[in-house]
Amino acid sequence: MDTTLRITRLTAGSEAPVPDFGARLTRLCDSEWPRLSRYLDRLTGDPDLAADLAQEAFVRLHRRGSMPDAPGSWLVSVAMNLLRNEMSMRQRRRKLLTPGRAERAHADPAPSPEQEMVAEEVRARVRAAIDAIPERERQLLLLRAEEYSYRDIAAVVGVSETSVGTLLARARVLFEQAYGSTADAP
Amino acid sequence: MHLDLERMQRLLHAELSPEALQLATEHLSGCAECSAQVSEARRSEARVHALLTRLDHKLPELDLTAMTAPDGARGVAWMRWAAGIVLTIALGGVAYAYPGSPVRRLVDSLLRRPAVEVPAIPSAPTPEPSAAPASSGIAVAPGRRLVVVFTPVDSGRVHVVLSDADAVVVRAPTGSATFSTQAGRLEVRSTIAAVYELEIPRAARRIELMVGGRLVLLKEGARVSTSAAPDSSGGWLLPLDRR
């Protein structure tokens, strides 16, 4: 995708951005879009929601018209606020048709290959393990997996930068324990 | 003195200052215990990160055109909303003025008996939207995701069909509904029992149909999920009842 060309075209017609904002935004898209999307995907388990949140975070940055001091953590923080809003909205309308029921109605009846089943089983175990650890540890682990700096992680999660390493080590232990325990589950 | 946990992690993640890194490296060269712990931490992290990749889906592409879309979309949405209201009122007025119109009878009876229940309007036994004498409606571009929300109406129904058009279209018997839109959301305030028509483009990525807070139909890609069986026209007739 030629993001440079498209962003230049977009910002050329906009009012707010300063002259080099478009170029900086282009570079930021290239560096931040993949890891922000992946982080949100892993966190929520919902790729569509993750894509919407990540895109909205970039939209808000574009509307802002200037770069924050730490754009990476700024984007994650905005996306996390959007996610919290979305989650509280979803809690208010709980009576959703369960996806399982809906999918069963029109799912492809062809049986999955064995490898796919094994992969899905591992995926479900990892999902269960990541959901089982506390939210703070989950965020720490997923942010570090995307190589966010300790400073960014501290800013997003709201912990002291000097304790990020220790908290990360504990988060990893908790995750491995949770993953191990999913193997024992019936 | 051994490396503490924080320094080990910082060493692993290249978060030590140059001076601290030199001290840690010197210590590790002479301390088998700390070296083993750092190695184990590195292996543990590699295991965890490998497992986390199992959660990944295909990365979406950034749709940069959406960055400027919301402002424009809001304007378009407002105009559509206004157009929908004006159209509904205009068609409602025409229907009221038409000699022998059931709308006139309905309005008159409501004015005479404001406190009693709304007179039952017999709904069509089968959905024949094209046969409806007059209808109002709205067309909305589906975007990446559109939530269509209907107000529940006892004995009301919505007939959902897939179309080759570009827009999501809702049609309602004249005077039976008002429409409003926001980005990613279309609300249909249905007021009387009737059969409403909802056309969903086959190319739409994700359409959610909600009735009274319940998701009753989900179109995602080529797949349509709903608890109702398709009817003879290949569409779905779904109740708008309160539950």
Side-chain angles (χ1 to χ4, degrees):
Chain A
M1 182 172 49
D2 186 354
T3 51
T4 311
L5 178 66
R6 294 179 66 188
I7 287 188
T8 306
R9 208 182 302 140
L10 283 170
T11 52
S14 305
E15 299 165 11
V18 293
D20 70 334
F21 177 71
R24 295 184 68 189
L25 185 60
T26 304
R27 284 199 297 275
L28 198 68
C29 287
D30 291 341
S31 63
E32 297 297 328
W33 171 257
R35 66 176 182 166
L36 178 63
S37 305
R38 201 162 36 234
Y39 165 70
L40 292 167
D41 182 15
R42 290 175 177 180
L43 187 68
T44 62
D46 182 340
D48 287 333
L49 174 62
D52 286 346
L53 294 173
Q55 180 152 311
E56 183 59 25
F58 273 93
V59 166
R60 296 203 175 186
L61 178 58
H62 178 262
R63 280 194 208 140
R64 190 178 193 267
S66 63
M67 280 293 160
D69 292 338
S73 60
W74 187 92
L75 285 165
V76 179
S77 298
V78 168
M80 291 303 296
N81 286 336
L82 292 167
L83 175 60
R84 284 185 200 103
N85 292 344
E86 177 67 23
M87 288 299 117
S88 63
M89 263 178 60
R90 287 186 180 192
Q91 275 178 352
R92 285 200 292 273
R93 43 181 165 92
R94 273 280 181 188
K95 285 179 166 180
L96 291 177
L97 185 72
T98 58
R101 192 175 125 203
E103 281 166 15
R104 274 199 304 277
H106 292 278
D108 187 349
S112 304
E114 192 177 334
Q115 278 185 333
E116 239 177 71
M117 283 177 63
V118 173
E120 187 51 44
E121 192 181 320
V122 174
R123 183 190 182 91
R125 284 182 59 199
V126 176
R127 183 79 256 164
I130 199 75
D131 287 344
I133 67 176
E135 185 180 350
R136 185 182 73 173
E137 277 65 23
R138 192 182 312 145
Q139 284 189 50
L140 282 160
L141 212 54
L142 295 177
L143 287 167
R144 184 57 223 168
E146 293 304 326
E147 301 190 340
Y148 282 93
S149 70
Y150 278 24
R151 175 181 286 191
D152 284 347
I153 292 172
V156 171
V157 182
V159 296
S160 162
E161 190 184 337
T162 55
S163 63
V164 168
T166 308
L167 293 172
L168 268 172
R170 288 180 189 158
R172 217 163 47 227
V173 170
L174 282 175
F175 173 79
E176 290 210 288
Q177 285 173 349
Y179 182 74
S181 71
T182 60
D184 307 329
Chain B
M1 195 171 116
H2 290 301
L3 296 181
D4 60 22
L5 193 54
E6 183 68 30
R7 273 191 292 173
M8 275 190 199
Q9 292 301 311
R10 286 178 175 268
L11 179 69
L12 204 62
H13 298 139
E15 290 273 353
L16 285 174
S17 66
E19 300 78 25
L21 177 62
Q22 190 179 346
L23 286 173
T25 310
E26 283 170 8
H27 175 78
L28 284 177
S29 63
C31 180
E33 192 181 332
C34 283
S35 289
Q37 285 184 25
V38 169
S39 297
E40 173 48 30
R42 186 170 283 122
R43 283 195 296 273
S44 163
E45 182 160 82
R47 281 196 304 271
V48 169
H49 287 185
L51 284 172
L52 291 177
T53 62
R54 300 294 192 127
L55 298 174
D56 294 345
H57 298 89
K58 187 173 177 290
L59 264 185
E61 286 194 357
L62 176 57
D63 183 5
L64 293 169
T65 52
M67 285 191 180
T68 52
D71 292 339
R74 270 201 298 277
V76 171
W78 182 88
M79 283 188 284
R80 281 185 179 142
W81 180 83
I85 296 292
V86 169
L87 188 65
T88 303
I89 291 170
L91 290 175
V94 170
Y96 181 84
Y98 192 79
S101 162
V103 177
R104 179 194 286 268
R105 283 200 301 276
L106 172 63
V107 172
D108 288 348
S109 65
L110 283 173
L111 289 174
R112 277 197 303 275
R113 298 181 298 158
V116 298
E117 63 189 34
V118 175
I121 302 295
S123 57
T126 53
E128 289 290 333
S130 59
S135 66
S136 57
I138 190 169
V140 177
R144 290 171 54 83
R145 175 189 177 211
L146 180 70
V147 181
V148 182
V149 181
F150 272 82
T151 313
V153 172
D154 288 338
S155 303
R157 285 173 293 173
V158 55
H159 187 232
V160 183
V161 291
L162 297 180
S163 75
D164 295 320
D166 296 331
V168 169
V169 177
V170 178
R171 291 194 184 88
T174 300
S176 65
T178 58
F179 310 99
S180 64
T181 63
Q182 303 164 24
R185 190 177 175 90
L186 165 61
E187 287 191 17
V188 183
R189 293 189 191 85
S190 35
T191 52
I192 59 174
V195 179
Y196 298 83
E197 181 84 1
L198 171 60
E199 289 180 14
I200 299 177
R202 284 190 176 81
R205 291 181 61 179
R206 184 182 174 94
I207 305 291
E208 297 170 27
L209 174 58
M210 311 278 299
V211 178
R214 289 174 296 119
L215 179 66
V216 298
L217 180 140
L218 170 66
K219 179 192 180 296
E220 197 164 27
R223 187 166 61 179
V224 176
S225 305
T226 179
S227 52
D231 60 20
S232 56
S233 70
W236 297 267
L237 188 61
L238 304 167
L240 293 175
D241 295 347
R242 294 180 182 85
R243 285 186 185 173

